[in-house]
Amino acid sequence: MKKMPEINSGSMADISFLLLTFFLLTSSIDTDQGITRKLPPPPDPNADPPEVKERNVLKVLVNKSDRLLVQGQPIDIRQLKDRAKEFLTNPQNDPNLPEVEEVTINNLGTVRTTKGIISLKNDRGTSYDMYIQVQNELTAAINELRDELSQQRFGAKFADLTSTTQSEAVQKAIPIAISEAEPEDIGGKK
Amino acid sequence: MARFKKGGSRSVPGINTGSMSDIIFMFLFFFMVITTIREVTLEVKIVAPQATEVQKLEKKSLVSFIYIGQPRKASLGTESRIQLNNQFASVADIQSFVAAERAARDESEKNFITTSLKVDKLTRMGVVTDVKQELRKAGAFKINYSTRKQGKKTD
């Protein structure tokens, strides 16, 4: 039998390298991540807005120069997380902070929850960066509360809970109680 | 070359590079799987704000994107514009965009579409609020504010 000459496959590597660089250039590795929120359905014009007691609402306002106003007092963004946590837990049963109630939740037993809602309102001129910082701090407050509860009951952080029943129970005990006010034009168009 | 054996004039066998291409192909497939191909050419500048409490978006196929930012072309001014797919759009186009995105998905997945808002951090909230209102009207309630991950602040 005649010996076949070997096909030179050395250039094959070069070709695949070319393909590789092409894909590296045209694609992006950045995984999409961000803060997830659920928008409320559009308001029913006939229905009255639900009655919420004054003590159950934490009013957070952001004006067009990116300054924060919480319950009528100007505060720094770094204080917002602790303010929100204190508001959502009401540790000392303060009559000015939201009503506390004991709720029984499946898989979790009796939990001390509050009826607190954070009402966030921003101006049309607020920068998106500031808005995200505020949302981030509020989310951080809720996440920390969830972590504390889940650490106490299940011995693991909320994000590390493996069973969905457990994480659903924690979610139910500490919901994302952030309500965004219907937009209004306060500071004028910009 | 130094030879230790006497007499033998054997040549050094060439290194077999045949498997090299297999290795590179493996790399290639690896990158193809973990990356996403840019489907749209961005007409707006977007620098996402940073946040610490970020969640990853799961199921890439169920995400539709809305881009808001300053136009890349300086001739179009500095006013923040909305980009849907490959072109500039106005707030009024969002409802039909959502409808089109729904129509492109399977019946069973229609209710799980997440709208990712990729917004430049210098944008004013006015545009974003308008977009959010339109999304509410269109029934696309699940949204995600796209942000970059930032290390935990130590203060």
Side-chain angles (χ1 to χ4, degrees), chain A residues 39-40 124 128 183, chain B residues 64-69 80-84 89-95 97-98 115-119 123-145:
Chain A
L39 294 171
R124 289 187 72 88
Y128 182 69
Chain B
S64 58
F65 294 99
I66 294 177
Y67 306 90
I68 305 172
S80 290
R81 299 281 294 272
I82 304 165
Q83 185 191 347
L84 302 171
S90 69
V91 177
D93 297 325
I94 285 178
Q95 294 204 23
F97 170 74
V98 172
T115 312
S116 174
L117 295 175
K118 289 195 175 253
V119 184
T123 312
R124 299 278 150 195
M125 277 306 289
V127 195
V128 185
T129 311
D130 289 343
V131 169
K132 272 159 65 184
Q133 288 299 98
E134 287 299 309
L135 286 175
R136 280 173 72 183
K137 282 184 211 155
F141 298 132
K142 234 182 135 188
I143 59 166
N144 181 290
Y145 302 107

Side-chain angles (χ1 to χ4, degrees), chain A:
Chain A
M1 198 183 144
K2 211 174 143 193
K3 207 184 165 198
M4 284 275 280
E6 243 178 78
I7 299 167
N8 186 6
S9 58
S11 52
M12 189 82 161
D14 299 355
I15 296 166
S16 28
F17 253 126
L18 265 172
L19 274 175
L20 181 66
T21 31
F22 170 74
F23 271 98
L24 276 178
L25 289 178
T26 54
S27 58
S28 51
I29 307 181
D30 61 325
T31 43
D32 287 304
Q33 48 187 13
I35 301 171
T36 308
R37 279 282 172 279
K38 217 162 171 134
L39 294 171
D44 188 354
N46 303 317
D48 290 324
E51 287 277 320
V52 183
K53 282 189 193 158
E54 188 77 9
R55 63 180 283 198
N56 288 342
V57 182
L58 181 78
K59 290 186 194 124
V60 180
L61 297 167
V62 197
N63 78 354
K64 69 170 187 175
S65 26
D66 292 351
R67 297 227 176 82
L68 265 178
L69 203 66
V70 175
Q71 299 289 60
Q73 295 169 335
I75 65 160
D76 193 78
I77 180 106
R78 278 165 292 187
Q79 296 164 287
L80 182 63
K81 187 172 81 183
D82 293 330
R83 257 318 265 285
K85 272 179 83 174
E86 191 197 357
F87 174 81
L88 287 174
T89 47
N90 191 3
Q92 264 96 45
N93 266 328
D94 191 324
N96 294 320
L97 290 174
E99 295 164 76
V100 176
E101 49 180 6
E102 303 270 324
V103 187
T104 314
I105 293 168
N106 285 344
N107 303 313
L108 205 65
T110 319
V111 199
R112 186 175 172 277
T113 57
T114 61
K115 288 183 173 175
I117 296 170
I118 298 167
S119 161
L120 172 62
K121 195 165 188 174
N122 60 273
D123 191 81
R124 289 187 72 88
T126 309
S127 81
Y128 182 69
D129 194 24
M130 184 62 188
Y131 176 76
I132 289 296
Q133 294 314 317
V134 172
Q135 283 276 17
N136 188 44
E137 292 300 313
L138 296 178
T139 318
I142 290 166
N143 283 352
E144 279 184 20
L145 291 176
R146 282 181 174 175
D147 273 349
E148 279 165 23
L149 181 69
S150 134
Q151 193 73 258
Q152 181 198 338
R153 297 294 166 106
F154 304 119
K157 281 191 166 185
F158 176 67
D160 299 332
L161 288 181
T162 41
S163 83
T164 43
T165 49
Q166 286 182 348
S167 50
E168 270 169 22
V170 176
Q171 273 176 25
K172 209 171 168 191
I174 305 164
I176 299 184
I178 302 173
S179 147
E180 286 187 55
E182 293 298 318
E184 268 175 56
D185 211 345
I186 321 162
K189 275 219 163 128
K190 201 173 173 186

Side-chain angles (χ1 to χ4, degrees), chain B residues 61-64 101-107 109-110 113:
Chain B
S61 59
L62 287 177
V63 183
S64 58
E101 287 288 319
R102 284 232 180 97
R105 279 9 178 244
D106 283 344
E107 194 64 49
E109 294 178 326
K110 272 181 189 172
I113 298 177

Side-chain angles (χ1 to χ4, degrees), chain A residues 23 26-32, chain B residues 31-39 60 65:
Chain A
F23 271 98
T26 54
S27 58
S28 51
I29 307 181
D30 61 325
T31 43
D32 287 304
Chain B
F31 275 105
M32 277 168 77
V33 169
I34 66 159
T35 58
T36 46
I37 295 176
R38 289 192 204 119
E39 281 169 14
K60 287 261 162 58
F65 294 99

